[in-house]
Amino acid sequence: MAVISWHHFSQKPNFDYDIYIIHRPKEAAIPLINQLKDLNKILIADYDDLIFGTPDQAKDCSVYKNGQLSLEQTKKLFESNQRALFCFDCFTVSTNNLAKEIQRLHTKAVVQVVHNFIPDSILALANKWKLRQQEKNPNLLMYCPGTMSHNRDFALVQDVFLRSLEKNPKLRLYIFGCLQSTDKLLKHPQICFHGPTSYWNLFQHMAQAAYTIAPLEDSCFNDCKSNVKFLESATAGATLLATPIEDMQRISPYAAVHLLQTADDWADRLSQIGNDNFSHNIKTNYHCLLEHCARKTFLQEFTSLFEKMED
């Protein structure tokens, strides 16, 4: 087995393997994909975001909504990605909703949901660093947007947070990552911006907080996203407040998470910050990681793809 970037593979292809899993295949890859087909290789396309589909779905894509691409550019990107998608018959995806989107477009596709999980290596580091045992600040919430694509997501709860901070002077919000900020946020004495940090450092920062947040705008694009913010939070021992996307709802029966739909839901939960049984939440969420979000689950789901391919 080997993991290699498409850039390096396209420059120096290696045809020695039997199975090729291509993450987010692009139209530019089609000639090389066809070469692999001619060699009777097993090809699997892997998706973790809705980056194909109809023009209306392109309007929901974060790169358009946050101004990174124009609507025309986003539509062309979706069309281009869709042309690459149709080069495949077998797919792995990270959520149930993504599976439905592929099956809607490609009715004869073999699609297997392989949910995201926390690798053993990260769990081992979390145990070595005693992240879950660290003392948590019960009034500290942490927001970790990886890219500027979450600007509109945070805007949904910004006013709720500002009102909650005003009502509770002990409350603190730390923001690690990329977020378009206003003077209200930048100058607020209870909000601290840290900017982007390395992924390994992120867990150590999260371990200081009792809570993490993951608000998402209601859209087809976001509802295809995974529960990765739960995975990260549970690893660090933080309790997650999140929008109830499908993949969050999937694990909620086994996890201690707060799923919040409306602004009133967020306001109500923020008024109760610090009242959780943190010891119970940490134990429950770690058990959820081990039983429902770890390597054994991944292996069961991944091998199911080959069983489907044989049918």
Side-chain angles (χ1 to χ4, degrees):
M1 185 181 77
V3 179
I4 185 171
S5 72
W6 184 261
H7 172 73
H8 287 102
F9 181 76
S10 62
Q11 290 184 330
K12 192 176 180 181
N14 182 339
F15 300 118
D16 294 340
Y17 296 94
D18 298 313
I19 303 169
Y20 291 78
I21 302 172
I22 302 174
H23 181 60
R24 295 192 181 202
K26 294 180 169 58
E27 186 177 12
I30 290 177
L32 195 44
I33 290 168
N34 288 335
Q35 272 188 269
L36 292 167
K37 281 184 174 182
D38 291 340
L39 293 168
N40 294 316
K41 303 298 184 181
I42 296 172
L43 297 180
I44 301 166
D46 176 66
Y47 291 97
D48 61 351
D49 262 328
L50 185 62
I51 58 170
F52 48 81
T54 67
D56 281 341
Q57 287 174 318
K59 290 179 184 177
D60 269 344
C61 187
S62 62
V63 292
Y64 164 62
K65 284 191 168 183
N66 288 291
Q68 293 163 283
L69 293 179
S70 69
L71 181 55
E72 276 308 305
Q73 288 173 319
T74 308
K75 286 179 179 178
K76 287 179 180 178
L77 176 65
F78 268 49
E79 291 168 1
S80 175
N81 289 338
Q82 197 159 297
R83 284 191 283 273
L85 182 151
F86 280 114
C87 292
F88 295 82
D89 295 314
C90 298
F91 300 85
T92 53
V93 294
S94 56
T95 67
N96 297 322
N97 282 356
L98 264 180
K100 291 175 185 176
E101 291 298 331
I102 289 180
Q103 287 166 331
R104 179 183 61 79
L105 288 170
H106 193 335
T107 55
K108 295 183 179 180
V110 177
V111 186
Q112 176 63 41
V113 180
V114 181
H115 294 102
N116 286 337
F117 73 103
I118 287 290
D120 293 346
S121 57
I122 291 181
L123 285 176
L125 273 178
N127 291 333
K128 179 181 178 181
W129 293 338
K130 300 185 185 299
L131 296 185
R132 293 179 304 282
Q133 289 77 31
Q134 288 184 26
E135 186 176 352
K136 316 292 180 187
N137 181 340
N139 296 301
L140 176 59
L141 301 104
M142 195 164 291
Y143 182 43
C144 305
T147 67
M148 294 291 280
S149 65
H150 290 289
N151 289 337
R152 289 172 62 107
D153 297 321
F154 185 74
L156 293 172
V157 297
Q158 175 177 308
D159 289 343
V160 174
F161 265 89
L162 290 172
R163 289 194 296 271
S164 298
L165 291 169
E166 185 177 353
K167 290 177 182 177
N168 184 356
K170 292 183 179 179
L171 209 58
R172 296 289 183 271
L173 174 63
Y174 285 8
I175 300 173
F176 284 86
C178 306
L179 185 69
Q180 191 175 46
S181 54
T182 63
D183 282 348
K184 281 185 178 179
L185 297 178
L186 283 171
K187 296 179 180 179
H188 200 290
Q190 292 164 258
I191 299 176
C192 185
F193 281 85
H194 290 273
T197 186
S198 76
Y199 196 64
W200 298 112
N201 286 340
L202 187 64
F203 287 102
Q204 293 176 310
H205 290 303
M206 275 186 178
Q208 302 170 35
Y211 300 94
T212 53
I213 66 168
L216 287 172
E217 196 175 27
D218 184 17
S219 71
C220 180
F221 177 82
N222 281 341
D223 210 38
C224 287
K225 284 187 169 293
S226 77
N227 64 9
V228 67
K229 289 302 178 187
F230 166 74
L231 303 181
E232 294 168 349
S233 302
T235 300
T239 298
L240 178 67
L241 283 58
T243 299
I245 57 173
E246 184 275 331
D247 206 42
M248 288 292 186
Q249 293 181 52
R250 179 181 63 84
I251 55 93
S252 63
Y254 318 107
V257 295
H258 298 297
L259 300 184
L260 312 170
Q261 183 72 64
T262 66
D264 287 343
D265 292 339
W266 281 90
D268 181 60
R269 175 46 52 187
L270 290 173
S271 71
Q272 301 176 56
I273 286 299
N275 292 339
D276 281 81
N277 183 335
F278 298 114
S279 177
H280 169 267
N281 290 1
I282 290 168
K283 289 176 182 176
T284 299
N285 290 336
Y286 187 59
H287 183 263
C288 181
L289 283 184
L290 297 181
E291 292 302 314
H292 303 282
C293 312
R295 182 164 57 98
K296 67 176 183 180
T297 307
F298 163 79
L299 291 173
Q300 289 167 357
E301 292 175 338
F302 187 69
T303 53
S304 293
L305 173 67
F306 295 95
E307 294 170 5
K308 289 181 180 180
M309 290 164 64
E310 291 172 357
D311 290 344

